[in-house]
Amino acid sequence: MNIRLLTPNDSDAYRKMRLVALQKHPSAFASSYKEEKDRSAAFYGERFQSEESFTFGAFEEEKLTGSVTLLRETKLKLKHRALIVAMYVSDESRKKGVGKALISAALEKAKGIEGIEQIYLAVESTNEPAKRLYSSFGFEVFGKDKKAMKIEDIYYDEDHMVLFL
């Protein structure tokens, strides 16, 4: 397995994986397949060039099998914080350490950014494997957002977690 920052050259593979993720696991993401299906690969490629956003990909035999994004806060009063978003590992790559490697990469990047003291994330409340993964790195739940998402007529709660560096 190889973990590295994604570049615009990875945008086609990322787009394909992202759309699968949004279809198979809609409650894991704030965005939806309907909202992203018409976005071009170039849309994601532009994000990969941002100085405030860092998307790591996990590759197995050159195939993108997972990703996670670290976002730096840009507002002056929030610059000591970063967010982990868009975490995904393909079904066939789960339970192989891919998620752990991705979170490790994102946290190492955060530790290398001057001024970052806290990392935040949100996870669907019933996603126990993800919550165990985040807890293993020291993330702690500090709140629950009841009915955070609504997909058709079903509500999903989110647990908000923080890691103090």
Side-chain angles (χ1 to χ4, degrees):
M1 170 182 23
N2 178 34
I3 305 291
R4 64 170 173 78
L5 280 170
L6 297 184
T7 70
N9 292 337
D10 301 308
S11 59
D12 284 325
Y14 180 83
R15 180 183 179 276
K16 288 175 189 166
M17 186 184 70
R18 175 89 173 148
L19 292 177
V20 168
L22 292 170
Q23 283 183 300
K24 285 188 163 188
H25 306 281
S27 67
F29 305 95
S31 190
S32 70
Y33 176 81
K34 184 177 180 180
E35 291 168 311
E36 294 199 27
K37 68 180 175 60
D38 294 325
R39 287 186 178 156
S40 68
F43 172 85
Y44 300 103
E46 288 175 25
R47 285 185 175 180
F48 300 155
Q49 294 178 311
S50 168
E51 293 181 16
E52 308 300 332
S53 173
F54 309 93
T55 300
F56 292 89
F59 292 84
E60 296 180 43
E61 297 179 14
E62 305 302 314
K63 182 182 179 200
L64 182 62
T65 61
S67 64
V68 67
T69 299
L70 177 74
L71 296 174
R72 293 177 60 178
E73 291 280 8
T74 57
K75 294 189 183 311
L76 188 60
K77 296 177 187 177
L78 301 177
K79 283 190 168 232
H80 65 293
R81 300 169 24 155
L83 306 168
I84 286 182
V85 299
M87 174 71 176
Y88 177 71
V89 176
S90 65
D91 291 346
E92 63 272 9
S93 295
R94 292 183 180 183
K95 298 184 180 181
K96 295 181 180 179
V98 175
K100 186 174 185 176
L102 286 166
I103 293 296
S104 290
L107 292 179
E108 282 305 308
K109 180 65 175 179
K111 290 174 184 174
I113 298 172
E114 186 178 340
I116 299 293
E117 300 171 11
Q118 303 168 31
I119 313 289
Y120 290 85
L121 60 82
V123 59
E124 198 265 313
S125 294
T126 64
N127 189 341
E128 293 300 328
K131 287 169 42 176
R132 278 193 302 275
L133 171 65
Y134 303 139
S135 293
S136 75
F137 283 94
F139 281 89
E140 295 179 355
V141 174
F142 68 88
K144 183 180 292 282
D145 188 356
K146 293 196 179 275
K147 296 184 177 183
M149 287 189 291
K150 183 178 180 182
I151 302 172
E152 295 179 10
D153 291 330
I154 300 172
Y155 291 96
Y156 296 87
D157 297 344
E158 283 185 340
D159 287 349
H160 291 266
M161 303 181 82
V162 63
L163 173 67
F164 296 97
L165 300 179

